[in-house]
Amino acid sequence: MTEEMKAEFDTVASWTADAALALGPDHFLAAGCRGSGSPGALRWLLDRLDVAPGDLLLDAGAGVGGPAAFAAAEAGVRPLLSEPEAGACRAARRLFDLPVVQAASALPFADASVDAVWSLGVLCTVPDQPRFVAELRRVLRPGGRLGLLVFVATGALPEQPAGNDFPTRPRLDHLLREAGLTVHDSGSAADFPATPAGWQDRADAVDAELERRHGDDEAWRTAEAQSAVIGRLLAAGDLVGTLVVAGR
Ligand SMILES: C[S@@+](CC[C@H](N)C(=O)[O-])C[C@H]1O[C@@H](n2cnc3c(N)ncnc32)[C@H](O)[C@@H]1O
């Protein structure tokens, strides 16, 4: 993992939990979802994962744990988190008290042991993408569904965030096919309703608190510069936030 990614996924993840704890529980979800999809996009995925209350949902590359906590609150699933960075693992425990395993692409779970898997904004950060997708499929029970949020490149990128490898749509489809997964549905994150005002206000408050505490820190500036590049690529249409639901 590059120094830039370590800053964002380890150090800033840890600081995010500190900031959210200082602001109070009503800020936890918005803080925990800073790195991922909007509530509308998460709901779209949940609706298509075909999960029932009590089902085990693996969140691979779970970050600070916001999306998993959102899934538990919305659909009554039992989340299980895997995440390589210790700072993010601790943040997910502190904010949401969710079960987290520190792991990267090699998942320490038995074959066919979970009812559903989702992985949000993770694929482009993973060096060996075929292995990662194969692992997601391996742990999924037959008939189970996989949900992905992938930043897809629409062509050559004018600038490149450090360490990211964004697949094109044909490459993404190829990865899924090669892993034995069939795409059931897909959508563009841009088509979902805007983040509700209250949620956005809380996310902004977390950002402001992080800036106040760490604005002068190198890790904060590095992480902010990295997100700014991705923001510019999304705004220009060079990257498209793509939601995919696939089955095995
Ligand atoms: C952009 S963040 C998204 C976090 C979270 N999924 C969310 O939506 O808020 C990408 C996450 O992928 C994790 N990650 C990086 N390499 C990974 C790998 N090989 N396997 C699993 N997760 C990985 C990072 O540590 C980071 O937490």
Side-chain angles (χ1 to χ4, degrees):
M1 187 168 289
T2 62
E3 199 185 306
E4 288 83 353
M5 286 176 158
K6 194 95 188 146
E8 188 177 2
F9 302 147
D10 191 12
T11 310
V12 173
S14 206
W15 291 344
T16 300
D18 296 334
L21 285 161
L23 290 166
D26 59 334
H27 287 72
F28 291 3
L29 269 184
C33 292
R34 276 178 84 249
S36 73
S38 63
L42 296 179
R43 262 187 211 109
W44 186 92
L45 278 174
L46 269 179
D47 286 347
R48 286 160 182 78
L49 285 183
D50 220 9
V51 282
D55 279 356
L56 194 58
L57 168 70
L58 170 66
D59 187 337
V64 175
F70 181 89
E74 291 272 317
V77 294
R78 283 179 299 137
L80 171 62
L81 283 60
S82 65
E83 163 58 44
E85 293 303 321
C89 292
R90 278 194 300 271
R93 298 284 315 209
R94 291 172 70 206
L95 290 178
F96 305 111
D97 197 22
L98 290 170
V100 189
V101 173
Q102 189 175 2
S105 300
L107 296 171
F109 307 120
D111 296 357
S113 57
V114 301
D115 298 302
V117 180
W118 76 10
S119 185
L120 312 170
V122 178
L123 188 67
C124 62
T125 69
V126 173
D128 186 346
Q129 297 182 354
R131 179 174 180 228
F132 180 67
V133 177
E135 274 292 271
L136 300 182
R137 180 193 184 276
R138 181 185 65 76
V139 300
L140 188 59
R141 69 163 168 76
R145 299 256 168 110
L146 164 70
L148 294 174
L149 166 62
V150 181
F151 296 109
V152 165
T154 53
L157 299 178
E159 52 183 339
Q160 178 66 48
N164 286 99
D165 180 9
F166 300 103
T168 58
R169 183 63 205 248
R171 168 86 186 134
L172 174 60
D173 288 338
H174 179 77
L175 275 170
L176 294 169
R177 211 170 35 247
E178 287 292 295
L181 291 156
T182 307
V183 174
H184 292 305
D185 209 342
S186 75
S188 165
D191 295 340
F192 294 100
T195 303
W199 178 291
Q200 192 56 53
D201 292 345
R202 289 190 279 276
D204 291 345
V206 174
D207 277 346
E209 184 63 12
L210 280 164
E211 173 83 45
R212 190 184 70 73
R213 291 170 173 231
H214 301 290
D216 293 334
D217 272 290
E218 189 60 34
W220 171 253
R221 290 215 215 98
T222 302
E224 283 291 278
Q226 180 90 340
S227 349
V229 177
I230 296 183
R232 283 196 294 276
L233 293 170
L234 284 167
D238 295 311
L239 289 180
V240 175
T242 302
L243 300 170
V244 175
V245 175
R248 60 163 286 184

